[in-house]
Structures are given as C-alpha cells and as structure tokens.
Amino acid sequence: MTADIASFDLFDTLVQRAVWRPHDLFALLAATLPDQAGPWFAAERGRAEAAARRASGITEITLAAIYAELARTAPQGLDLTSIMDREIALEIEGIAADPGIAAAFRALVAAGRRVIIVSDMYLPRHAIETMIERAGIDGYARLYLSSETGRTKASGAVWDEIRADFGLTAEARIVHLGDHPEADGAVARRCGVTPSLVSPPERRLPANRYQPSGHALADLPHALLRRALAAQQHVGQAGDPYWLTLAYLVVAPAAIGMAGLIHSRVRAECRRPFFLARDGLVFQKAYETAWRTEAAPPSHYVWSSRRCLNLAAITTLDASDLDFLCSGVSDLTIAEYLQRAALDPAESAVAAAMHRHGVHGQTAVNDAPSRAALRAIFTDLADPITARAGIERRDLLAHLDQIGLFDGKALVVDLGWHGSLQRSLIRLGTIARGTAPDITGVYLGTTARRARDIEAEGFLFSDSAPQSVVAATVGRSYEVLELLFSAPESGISHVACRDGVPYPVRLEQAEEAPRLAIAALIHDAVTDVAHAMRPYLRQEHIAMLRDLACTRLAGLLTAPDRTDAARFAAIPHAEGFGALSYRPIVPPSGRSLFAAAGAARTAFWPAGYLARLDPGSRFAVRLINRLHRRITAPA
C-alpha cells in the first residue's frame, strides 16, 4: 500500500552531526570562548536547557528561551547573543546528509510523493532550513519544527497537526523514518503512523574495542568514522570498516597529538619542521591541517629512506657502515645484499671479491660464516661503495639544499625508533657545510637503543620511557606501526638529478599494492579528523591525545583478536632496506606445533600470530617457546 505522506526525522536520520553526542557541541563551543566564559558555558549550557524545559511545561522549547535562562548566571559583560549565534553556526557547519537516507528522500521526491521533514528541535527555522540546504536536500512539502509550535513527535501531537494540514483522514497512511525508538517508533505507532526505524547513531559503527572516552574532542573521530562508513556504503565501496576504524580511532589521535608536539617545539625553539619520507608524511598532513598557523614557517617533505640517507653518508667504510650494509633478518643471498648497495655481482671486481671469500651470488646469508664472508666482501669493495655513495650524495645534497635543511635550526620528524636517519642527515650536513648542522628530532617513539649523540624526543615514549608498556609492545611489533603510519607512495631508493633538478628514484614493487591502498585510506581519515579538530585544539589537548593513543595502541598490540591477525596477515612487509624481501606481518599457522612455535619466534608481530591459533595450540606454542628460551639461553 502506497503511503499518502512520507515523513523523515532530521537529526541522526536525514542528516548527521559531526559530534558523537549532541551535547558535545556545547563543550566544543566552550573551548572557543574566552578563558572565564568557557568553563562557565560548559557547566551551564545543559543546566539552562533543562531549567527552560521545566519552566515551559511542554516538551520542546526555543534556543532563545535557553539563552534567557543562561543570562541569569552569565558573567557580567558577556555577549550571549554572539555565543548563541556561534552555537547556531557550529550546528550548521557540522551537518552533512546521510547519503543513503538522503538518496531515498530524493527518490521519493522525484517520484512525486509528498515528503515532509519532522524534527523535535529547539533551533530556529532559519537555522534548520540552512542546514537542510547545506546538506543538499530539497523538494520537501513542509518542515515541522517543535520549536515553533510546541507540538512534538515525543508527545505525538505533531501527527494531528500534519493530518489537519494535509486534509488527511484517520485512515490515511503516513510512513515515518527516524532513529529514536520511542518518539519515532512507539509513539508514532500509537498515533496511527507506520514507523520505520534506523539504528541509533551509537550503533552504526562496527564492533571494536575503541570505545568513546566521554571527552567531546577525543570522540570527534567516532562521529567522523560514522559518516565515512555511511558515505562508503552508499557508493557501494567495501571501504573496509576495519581499516577505517583503525584510521579514525587509533592513527588520527596519535598523528594529531604528535603534530601538536611538533607545533609547540617549532614555536618555542624557532625551528623549521622537515618531515622524512615516507612515514613522516602523515604527521606533516596532521601538522599542516590541524596546527600550523600563518606565522609559522612552512614545512618541507624530505625525500629519504634508510638506503637513501645512510648510503649517501658513507665517506669511509667504518664498522657502523658495514653494520648497515649487512643489516636484515631475512635469508637474502650475497647477490641481493650487493644489489642493495648498487653493486653488480657480475662486475669483475665484485665477482673476484666473492671468489676470494669462497661464496657466490646465490649463497644464502643465514649463518655466521656467510655473514662474515659478506662483511669481508663489502670491506674489499670499499672503493666502489664510497664512489657510488659520492654520486648519490651529490644529488641528495642538491635536494637538501633546495629545501634549506641546513640553513638554520631544523626539526626532523619521522616515525621512530633509533634516530639513524637524523644521524645520517647530520653527517651529510657536516660533509656539505664543514660543521654539524643544528638538527633535533621528534618521533612517535624512541627506544633505549637510540643514538645518544643526537637530540631527539618521542611523543608516545622517549628512550622507552615513561610509557614503558607501550614502548615494550611497540618493540615487539614495529612493523604494525610502520604499516599504520606509512604513506601512500612507493619507497625511495635514492635521489637523482635530471638537468640539475632533483627527483626521487622510487622502488616500484607489486607487493606494495595492499599497503598503498590502506595508507591512502588512513591519510584521508587523518586529514578529515585534523580539519574537524582544528578550531578546538589547545596545548593541553596534546597530552590527552597522547594518552588516548597509548591506550588504544597498547590494546591492539598486546591483545589482538583473530580479526586483527587476519587483516594484518594479508599485508606483506618489506624487510630491511631496498625492498628485496617481503613476508606477511602475521605469517600462516605452522603445520605442526613446533613449526608454529618457530613461526611465533620469527613473526613481525608475535602477539598477532598467536591470535590466529586456537587456545590449545596457543598454550602449547607458548610452552614450547618458553622451553626454547631456557635451552638456548647463555650458560
């Protein structure tokens, strides 16, 4: 049977707010007010609304009545009219159409149906009409506002008014879509209206462990995630709710909080910020979108990687250079190690060095003799290595000069963990300028292994303290964070020049496709949250965001579930530098318990691997590895 009237609720149905709870807007508004007025408004706005409702004797009131009640306790001289205007403006700015429901609305209008909007809301008509227009919704026959008539959905009185306005009989069919089980559901049904309920907004997120904190600013990402999921579902994209959830609720708070630390350091120390490729890119976007002001110096993106900077910094092959060239945990071949350093195994001098040390290009480097042979080969090839380093250094320095890295006090930003790239930049600056440049670093975290000859600070933890739990869990799962904070671009081998213009030479690898897709989604989410948070961010919020990030990252890293393990298992991760070897962050389960125990010991993310196993196998694997540690421990 066709409905005579199709009715739509407005808030949390036809349109969505950019706050998790409606009253969060009051706390956000309070954060924009002068010092004394902010705490007063945060405490009084809800009380004034409740008092105005009691005084009215009906179930809906006007915004003017609420502000009249606020005037009774307002600080002297406070301009309440401008605050009320600002509240209306924030409500309007935060509105967006629910794509799926708005599409159904437009389809009914296009089909010639009589469509109305019904809202229990205290805002004035001009504000509501502006919201509806902003959301791109039009063609409705009428708009019913309880703030104008006092007749509400909650009481049911509005339905009598609607029937009278349209000349409907009691038998005429009205179908109403809304989210409130009582006002939009049970009461409507008692009034002869056919209700159709959508899920309340708090139930529109996928099940996850990252519950709202109760802080208006910290919970903005939940509202934005709700919007993003609705938008992707409407256009038929898989959108992957899992990665969107991590992007909005885990990565965004960490990136924006760290960007706040960068902002404070830039201001306090008059430093220019430089963000290192690739992991620094998400922090640069958070900094530029959420924190940077016009008075602050521009930020720069530094084309870099372990190979790009560390190889170019080699002038004479010392022990630390050899450690770098021989680094890696996969069983690469001698040839693969040489190729990473731009050495051709077929070249006569290289082949002769391999022959002298009793190996060939396909020899796997997987034991002490093969590792010693590799180190000896690199030592023999010091001249071609330093020659290649000189060529790459020349072009890299052209890029670093172009962005002015060594022209004053610099702040370099990267994910973490030991400061090796910062150290190489200082070496390069010393080579180029004859004196060590003033470069300090900010990282998501630094471990106890950080080089002590550089100045660096970690956001979540510095030198593994004070957040020792997070530091310890990150230390067993670096690759998880390297995925979550990576950039949607290929890695950089080195910098070259074409006609005197520097450009990055990238490592294009098919294995990178899953990571690139996830990184693009994460960067969009971080930018979305940073833009929404910008008007409200203050210095004191940096610690709040850090604590939130620590709690959520520690929960993910220490207690993953099977869903976490399965999602990360599908993502290959490059080992070492040069992107020659990939393996999944969470490997497949072993065919036997002993194979599973070995896999758990070598997995990038041991806790993630264990989460894939059934409880009995997990217990057995832990027992086997406990015995393995005792057997292999030094006497």
mmCIF file with all atom_site columns, all heavy atoms in Angstrom, residues 18 25 91 124 321 331 371 384 403 454 456 566:
data_model
loop_
_atom_site.group_PDB
_atom_site.id
_atom_site.type_symbol
_atom_site.label_atom_id
_atom_site.label_alt_id
_atom_site.label_comp_id
_atom_site.label_asym_id
_atom_site.label_entity_id
_atom_site.label_seq_id
_atom_site.pdbx_PDB_ins_code
_atom_site.Cartn_x
_atom_site.Cartn_y
_atom_site.Cartn_z
_atom_site.occupancy
_atom_site.B_iso_or_equiv
_atom_site.pdbx_formal_charge
_atom_site.auth_seq_id
_atom_site.auth_comp_id
_atom_site.auth_asym_id
_atom_site.auth_atom_id
_atom_site.pdbx_PDB_model_num
ATOM 1  N N   . ALA A 1 18  ? 28.563 16.261  13.294 1.00 0.00 ? 18  ALA A N   1
ATOM 2  C CA  . ALA A 1 18  ? 29.996 15.963  13.349 1.00 0.00 ? 18  ALA A CA  1
ATOM 3  C C   . ALA A 1 18  ? 30.463 15.761  14.779 1.00 0.00 ? 18  ALA A C   1
ATOM 4  O O   . ALA A 1 18  ? 31.668 15.791  15.048 1.00 0.00 ? 18  ALA A O   1
ATOM 5  C CB  . ALA A 1 18  ? 30.797 17.083  12.706 1.00 0.00 ? 18  ALA A CB  1
ATOM 6  N N   . LEU A 1 25  ? 28.691 19.329  21.362 1.00 0.00 ? 25  LEU A N   1
ATOM 7  C CA  . LEU A 1 25  ? 28.853 20.619  20.710 1.00 0.00 ? 25  LEU A CA  1
ATOM 8  C C   . LEU A 1 25  ? 29.023 21.744  21.729 1.00 0.00 ? 25  LEU A C   1
ATOM 9  O O   . LEU A 1 25  ? 29.745 22.706  21.497 1.00 0.00 ? 25  LEU A O   1
ATOM 10 C CB  . LEU A 1 25  ? 27.656 20.904  19.807 1.00 0.00 ? 25  LEU A CB  1
ATOM 11 C CG  . LEU A 1 25  ? 27.743 22.189  18.985 1.00 0.00 ? 25  LEU A CG  1
ATOM 12 C CD1 . LEU A 1 25  ? 27.403 21.934  17.530 1.00 0.00 ? 25  LEU A CD1 1
ATOM 13 C CD2 . LEU A 1 25  ? 26.824 23.260  19.558 1.00 0.00 ? 25  LEU A CD2 1
ATOM 14 N N   . GLU A 1 91  ? 26.345 24.277  14.746 1.00 0.00 ? 91  GLU A N   1
ATOM 15 C CA  . GLU A 1 91  ? 25.372 23.248  14.375 1.00 0.00 ? 91  GLU A CA  1
ATOM 16 C C   . GLU A 1 91  ? 25.274 23.128  12.856 1.00 0.00 ? 91  GLU A C   1
ATOM 17 O O   . GLU A 1 91  ? 25.259 22.027  12.301 1.00 0.00 ? 91  GLU A O   1
ATOM 18 C CB  . GLU A 1 91  ? 23.996 23.589  14.958 1.00 0.00 ? 91  GLU A CB  1
ATOM 19 C CG  . GLU A 1 91  ? 23.881 23.422  16.462 1.00 0.00 ? 91  GLU A CG  1
ATOM 20 C CD  . GLU A 1 91  ? 23.569 21.994  16.878 1.00 0.00 ? 91  GLU A CD  1
ATOM 21 O OE1 . GLU A 1 91  ? 23.797 21.064  16.061 1.00 0.00 ? 91  GLU A OE1 1
ATOM 22 O OE2 . GLU A 1 91  ? 23.115 21.799  18.008 1.00 0.00 ? 91  GLU A OE2 1
ATOM 23 N N   . PRO A 1 124 ? 16.009 27.629  15.691 1.00 0.00 ? 124 PRO A N   1
ATOM 24 C CA  . PRO A 1 124 ? 15.034 28.381  14.902 1.00 0.00 ? 124 PRO A CA  1
ATOM 25 C C   . PRO A 1 124 ? 14.942 27.876  13.465 1.00 0.00 ? 124 PRO A C   1
ATOM 26 O O   . PRO A 1 124 ? 15.863 27.231  12.949 1.00 0.00 ? 124 PRO A O   1
ATOM 27 C CB  . PRO A 1 124 ? 15.569 29.815  14.950 1.00 0.00 ? 124 PRO A CB  1
ATOM 28 C CG  . PRO A 1 124 ? 17.030 29.676  15.201 1.00 0.00 ? 124 PRO A CG  1
ATOM 29 C CD  . PRO A 1 124 ? 17.175 28.463  16.074 1.00 0.00 ? 124 PRO A CD  1
ATOM 30 N N   . ASP A 1 321 ? 78.945 1.563   9.145  1.00 0.00 ? 321 ASP A N   1
ATOM 31 C CA  . ASP A 1 321 ? 78.523 1.457   7.748  1.00 0.00 ? 321 ASP A CA  1
ATOM 32 C C   . ASP A 1 321 ? 78.378 -0.009  7.343  1.00 0.00 ? 321 ASP A C   1
ATOM 33 O O   . ASP A 1 321 ? 77.428 -0.391  6.648  1.00 0.00 ? 321 ASP A O   1
ATOM 34 C CB  . ASP A 1 321 ? 79.517 2.156   6.826  1.00 0.00 ? 321 ASP A CB  1
ATOM 35 C CG  . ASP A 1 321 ? 79.605 3.653   7.087  1.00 0.00 ? 321 ASP A CG  1
ATOM 36 O OD1 . ASP A 1 321 ? 78.572 4.252   7.432  1.00 0.00 ? 321 ASP A OD1 1
ATOM 37 O OD2 . ASP A 1 321 ? 80.712 4.211   6.942  1.00 0.00 ? 321 ASP A OD2 1
ATOM 38 N N   . ASP A 1 331 ? 66.694 -14.299 4.896  1.00 0.00 ? 331 ASP A N   1
ATOM 39 C CA  . ASP A 1 331 ? 67.819 -15.010 4.289  1.00 0.00 ? 331 ASP A CA  1
ATOM 40 C C   . ASP A 1 331 ? 68.018 -14.522 2.864  1.00 0.00 ? 331 ASP A C   1
ATOM 41 O O   . ASP A 1 331 ? 67.661 -15.205 1.884  1.00 0.00 ? 331 ASP A O   1
ATOM 42 C CB  . ASP A 1 331 ? 67.571 -16.516 4.315  1.00 0.00 ? 331 ASP A CB  1
ATOM 43 C CG  . ASP A 1 331 ? 67.569 -17.082 5.715  1.00 0.00 ? 331 ASP A CG  1
ATOM 44 O OD1 . ASP A 1 331 ? 68.072 -16.389 6.617  1.00 0.00 ? 331 ASP A OD1 1
ATOM 45 O OD2 . ASP A 1 331 ? 67.050 -18.194 5.911  1.00 0.00 ? 331 ASP A OD2 1
ATOM 46 N N   . ARG A 1 371 ? 77.734 -14.684 6.961  1.00 0.00 ? 371 ARG A N   1
ATOM 47 C CA  . ARG A 1 371 ? 77.680 -13.266 7.360  1.00 0.00 ? 371 ARG A CA  1
ATOM 48 C C   . ARG A 1 371 ? 79.081 -12.667 7.421  1.00 0.00 ? 371 ARG A C   1
ATOM 49 O O   . ARG A 1 371 ? 79.296 -11.514 7.034  1.00 0.00 ? 371 ARG A O   1
ATOM 50 C CB  . ARG A 1 371 ? 76.963 -13.125 8.705  1.00 0.00 ? 371 ARG A CB  1
ATOM 51 C CG  . ARG A 1 371 ? 75.452 -13.281 8.602  1.00 0.00 ? 371 ARG A CG  1
ATOM 52 C CD  . ARG A 1 371 ? 74.763 -12.885 9.893  1.00 0.00 ? 371 ARG A CD  1
ATOM 53 N NE  . ARG A 1 371 ? 74.942 -13.914 10.919 1.00 0.00 ? 371 ARG A NE  1
ATOM 54 C CZ  . ARG A 1 371 ? 74.123 -14.948 11.092 1.00 0.00 ? 371 ARG A CZ  1
ATOM 55 N NH1 . ARG A 1 371 ? 73.075 -15.101 10.295 1.00 0.00 ? 371 ARG A NH1 1
ATOM 56 N NH2 . ARG A 1 371 ? 74.333 -15.839 12.039 1.00 0.00 ? 371 ARG A NH2 1
ATOM 57 N N   . PRO A 1 384 ? 84.535 1.080   -4.578 1.00 0.00 ? 384 PRO A N   1
ATOM 58 C CA  . PRO A 1 384 ? 83.325 1.292   -5.388 1.00 0.00 ? 384 PRO A CA  1
ATOM 59 C C   . PRO A 1 384 ? 82.117 1.713   -4.547 1.00 0.00 ? 384 PRO A C   1
ATOM 60 O O   . PRO A 1 384 ? 81.252 2.455   -5.032 1.00 0.00 ? 384 PRO A O   1
ATOM 61 C CB  . PRO A 1 384 ? 83.087 -0.061  -6.074 1.00 0.00 ? 384 PRO A CB  1
ATOM 62 C CG  . PRO A 1 384 ? 83.911 -1.049  -5.334 1.00 0.00 ? 384 PRO A CG  1
ATOM 63 C CD  . PRO A 1 384 ? 85.069 -0.294  -4.772 1.00 0.00 ? 384 PRO A CD  1
ATOM 64 N N   . ILE A 1 403 ? 65.599 22.540  -0.248 1.00 0.00 ? 403 ILE A N   1
ATOM 65 C CA  . ILE A 1 403 ? 64.589 22.758  0.799  1.00 0.00 ? 403 ILE A CA  1
ATOM 66 C C   . ILE A 1 403 ? 65.170 23.465  2.022  1.00 0.00 ? 403 ILE A C   1
ATOM 67 O O   . ILE A 1 403 ? 64.437 23.765  2.971  1.00 0.00 ? 403 ILE A O   1
ATOM 68 C CB  . ILE A 1 403 ? 63.926 21.426  1.214  1.00 0.00 ? 403 ILE A CB  1
ATOM 69 C CG1 . ILE A 1 403 ? 64.959 20.447  1.790  1.00 0.00 ? 403 ILE A CG1 1
ATOM 70 C CG2 . ILE A 1 403 ? 63.189 20.804  0.032  1.00 0.00 ? 403 ILE A CG2 1
ATOM 71 C CD1 . ILE A 1 403 ? 64.352 19.151  2.317  1.00 0.00 ? 403 ILE A CD1 1
ATOM 72 N N   . ILE A 1 454 ? 72.657 12.340  19.329 1.00 0.00 ? 454 ILE A N   1
ATOM 73 C CA  . ILE A 1 454 ? 71.701 13.224  18.671 1.00 0.00 ? 454 ILE A CA  1
ATOM 74 C C   . ILE A 1 454 ? 70.639 13.646  19.670 1.00 0.00 ? 454 ILE A C   1
ATOM 75 O O   . ILE A 1 454 ? 70.384 12.947  20.660 1.00 0.00 ? 454 ILE A O   1
ATOM 76 C CB  . ILE A 1 454 ? 71.032 12.536  17.457 1.00 0.00 ? 454 ILE A CB  1
ATOM 77 C CG1 . ILE A 1 454 ? 70.237 11.299  17.914 1.00 0.00 ? 454 ILE A CG1 1
ATOM 78 C CG2 . ILE A 1 454 ? 72.056 12.169  16.405 1.00 0.00 ? 454 ILE A CG2 1
ATOM 79 C CD1 . ILE A 1 454 ? 69.382 10.698  16.819 1.00 0.00 ? 454 ILE A CD1 1
ATOM 80 N N   . ALA A 1 456 ? 66.813 14.095  20.440 1.00 0.00 ? 456 ALA A N   1
ATOM 81 C CA  . ALA A 1 456 ? 65.560 13.569  19.919 1.00 0.00 ? 456 ALA A CA  1
ATOM 82 C C   . ALA A 1 456 ? 64.554 13.400  21.049 1.00 0.00 ? 456 ALA A C   1
ATOM 83 O O   . ALA A 1 456 ? 64.922 13.173  22.203 1.00 0.00 ? 456 ALA A O   1
ATOM 84 C CB  . ALA A 1 456 ? 65.780 12.243  19.208 1.00 0.00 ? 456 ALA A CB  1
ATOM 85 N N   . ALA A 1 566 ? 43.978 -11.657 11.133 1.00 0.00 ? 566 ALA A N   1
ATOM 86 C CA  . ALA A 1 566 ? 43.649 -11.971 9.742  1.00 0.00 ? 566 ALA A CA  1
ATOM 87 C C   . ALA A 1 566 ? 43.867 -10.774 8.834  1.00 0.00 ? 566 ALA A C   1
ATOM 88 O O   . ALA A 1 566 ? 44.363 -10.922 7.701  1.00 0.00 ? 566 ALA A O   1
ATOM 89 C CB  . ALA A 1 566 ? 42.195 -12.449 9.659  1.00 0.00 ? 566 ALA A CB  1
#
